[in-house]
mmCIF file of all heavy atoms in Angstrom:
data_model
loop_
_atom_site.group_PDB
_atom_site.id
_atom_site.type_symbol
_atom_site.label_atom_id
_atom_site.label_comp_id
_atom_site.label_asym_id
_atom_site.label_seq_id
_atom_site.Cartn_x
_atom_site.Cartn_y
_atom_site.Cartn_z
ATOM 1 N N GLY A 85 120.619 -130.403 -106.218
ATOM 2 C CA GLY A 85 120.383 -129.080 -105.717
ATOM 3 C C GLY A 85 120.575 -128.979 -104.218
ATOM 4 O O GLY A 85 120.257 -127.967 -103.591
ATOM 5 N N ASP A 86 121.125 -130.045 -103.602
ATOM 6 C CA ASP A 86 121.380 -129.997 -102.150
ATOM 7 C C ASP A 86 122.721 -129.356 -101.870
ATOM 8 O O ASP A 86 123.508 -129.080 -102.805
ATOM 9 C CB ASP A 86 121.385 -131.435 -101.594
ATOM 10 C CG ASP A 86 119.982 -131.981 -101.466
ATOM 11 O OD1 ASP A 86 119.081 -131.197 -101.075
ATOM 12 O OD2 ASP A 86 119.770 -133.208 -101.715
ATOM 13 N N LEU A 87 123.026 -129.154 -100.594
ATOM 14 C CA LEU A 87 124.278 -128.559 -100.192
ATOM 15 C C LEU A 87 125.298 -129.666 -99.893
ATOM 16 O O LEU A 87 124.942 -130.690 -99.228
ATOM 17 C CB LEU A 87 124.140 -127.661 -98.970
ATOM 18 C CG LEU A 87 123.321 -126.383 -99.151
ATOM 19 C CD1 LEU A 87 123.289 -125.594 -97.824
ATOM 20 C CD2 LEU A 87 123.894 -125.511 -100.281
ATOM 21 N N VAL A 88 126.511 -129.412 -100.311
ATOM 22 C CA VAL A 88 127.615 -130.334 -99.953
ATOM 23 C C VAL A 88 127.925 -130.116 -98.485
ATOM 24 O O VAL A 88 127.663 -129.026 -97.937
ATOM 25 C CB VAL A 88 128.842 -129.987 -100.861
ATOM 26 C CG1 VAL A 88 130.059 -130.774 -100.482
ATOM 27 C CG2 VAL A 88 128.456 -130.199 -102.326
ATOM 28 N N SER A 89 128.494 -131.138 -97.817
ATOM 29 C CA SER A 89 128.636 -131.046 -96.341
ATOM 30 C C SER A 89 129.502 -129.861 -95.926
ATOM 31 O O SER A 89 130.480 -129.463 -96.607
ATOM 32 C CB SER A 89 129.194 -132.359 -95.806
ATOM 33 O OG SER A 89 130.600 -132.355 -95.917
ATOM 34 N N ASP A 90 129.198 -129.300 -94.738
ATOM 35 C CA ASP A 90 129.945 -128.198 -94.180
ATOM 36 C C ASP A 90 131.430 -128.554 -94.021
ATOM 37 O O ASP A 90 132.307 -127.709 -94.303
ATOM 38 C CB ASP A 90 129.343 -127.790 -92.828
ATOM 39 C CG ASP A 90 127.950 -127.181 -92.982
ATOM 40 O OD1 ASP A 90 127.655 -126.656 -94.064
ATOM 41 O OD2 ASP A 90 127.184 -127.274 -92.006
ATOM 42 N N THR A 91 131.696 -129.750 -93.563
ATOM 43 C CA THR A 91 133.078 -130.153 -93.298
ATOM 44 C C THR A 91 133.873 -130.154 -94.607
ATOM 45 O O THR A 91 135.008 -129.619 -94.662
ATOM 46 C CB THR A 91 133.100 -131.602 -92.700
ATOM 47 O OG1 THR A 91 132.057 -131.708 -91.777
ATOM 48 C CG2 THR A 91 134.416 -131.938 -92.099
ATOM 49 N N LEU A 92 133.268 -130.723 -95.650
ATOM 50 C CA LEU A 92 133.974 -130.778 -96.928
ATOM 51 C C LEU A 92 134.201 -129.346 -97.463
ATOM 52 O O LEU A 92 135.301 -129.048 -97.910
ATOM 53 C CB LEU A 92 133.054 -131.549 -97.917
ATOM 54 C CG LEU A 92 133.730 -132.412 -99.009
ATOM 55 C CD1 LEU A 92 134.669 -133.413 -98.388
ATOM 56 C CD2 LEU A 92 132.674 -133.112 -99.803
ATOM 57 N N MET A 93 133.165 -128.501 -97.362
ATOM 58 C CA MET A 93 133.301 -127.154 -97.880
ATOM 59 C C MET A 93 134.299 -126.319 -97.067
ATOM 60 O O MET A 93 135.067 -125.542 -97.637
ATOM 61 C CB MET A 93 131.921 -126.446 -97.877
ATOM 62 C CG MET A 93 130.898 -127.053 -98.805
ATOM 63 S SD MET A 93 131.480 -127.387 -100.447
ATOM 64 C CE MET A 93 131.939 -125.776 -101.003
ATOM 65 N N GLY A 94 134.293 -126.496 -95.761
ATOM 66 C CA GLY A 94 135.220 -125.774 -94.907
ATOM 67 C C GLY A 94 136.635 -126.131 -95.267
ATOM 68 O O GLY A 94 137.518 -125.262 -95.414
ATOM 69 N N GLY A 95 136.867 -127.417 -95.461
ATOM 70 C CA GLY A 95 138.211 -127.915 -95.829
ATOM 71 C C GLY A 95 138.623 -127.345 -97.150
ATOM 72 O O GLY A 95 139.790 -126.908 -97.334
ATOM 73 N N LEU A 96 137.719 -127.294 -98.080
ATOM 74 C CA LEU A 96 137.988 -126.781 -99.424
ATOM 75 C C LEU A 96 138.395 -125.306 -99.398
ATOM 76 O O LEU A 96 139.381 -124.908 -100.007
ATOM 77 C CB LEU A 96 136.725 -126.969 -100.300
ATOM 78 C CG LEU A 96 136.763 -126.473 -101.699
ATOM 79 C CD1 LEU A 96 137.544 -127.421 -102.573
ATOM 80 C CD2 LEU A 96 135.356 -126.312 -102.262
ATOM 81 N N VAL A 97 137.636 -124.523 -98.648
ATOM 82 C CA VAL A 97 137.913 -123.074 -98.591
ATOM 83 C C VAL A 97 139.246 -122.833 -97.845
ATOM 84 O O VAL A 97 140.083 -122.030 -98.295
ATOM 85 C CB VAL A 97 136.737 -122.296 -97.922
ATOM 86 C CG1 VAL A 97 137.129 -120.876 -97.643
ATOM 87 C CG2 VAL A 97 135.519 -122.380 -98.812
ATOM 88 N N LYS A 98 139.430 -123.564 -96.779
ATOM 89 C CA LYS A 98 140.693 -123.386 -96.004
ATOM 90 C C LYS A 98 141.896 -123.733 -96.897
ATOM 91 O O LYS A 98 142.890 -122.971 -96.957
ATOM 92 C CB LYS A 98 140.685 -124.280 -94.783
ATOM 93 C CG LYS A 98 141.936 -124.109 -93.957
ATOM 94 C CD LYS A 98 141.762 -124.587 -92.540
ATOM 95 C CE LYS A 98 142.990 -124.040 -91.767
ATOM 96 N NZ LYS A 98 142.945 -124.313 -90.377
ATOM 97 N N GLU A 99 141.814 -124.829 -97.625
ATOM 98 C CA GLU A 99 142.910 -125.278 -98.451
ATOM 99 C C GLU A 99 143.143 -124.228 -99.592
ATOM 100 O O GLU A 99 144.291 -123.867 -99.814
ATOM 101 C CB GLU A 99 142.546 -126.638 -99.061
ATOM 102 C CG GLU A 99 143.743 -127.312 -99.723
ATOM 103 C CD GLU A 99 143.303 -128.484 -100.539
ATOM 104 O OE1 GLU A 99 142.381 -129.185 -100.147
ATOM 105 O OE2 GLU A 99 143.918 -128.661 -101.613
#
Side-chain angles (χ1 to χ4, degrees):
D86 283 323
L87 292 182
V88 175
S89 82
D90 292 334
T91 319
L92 214 57
M93 294 312 300
L96 177 78
V97 171
K98 181 161 194 176
E99 193 191 323

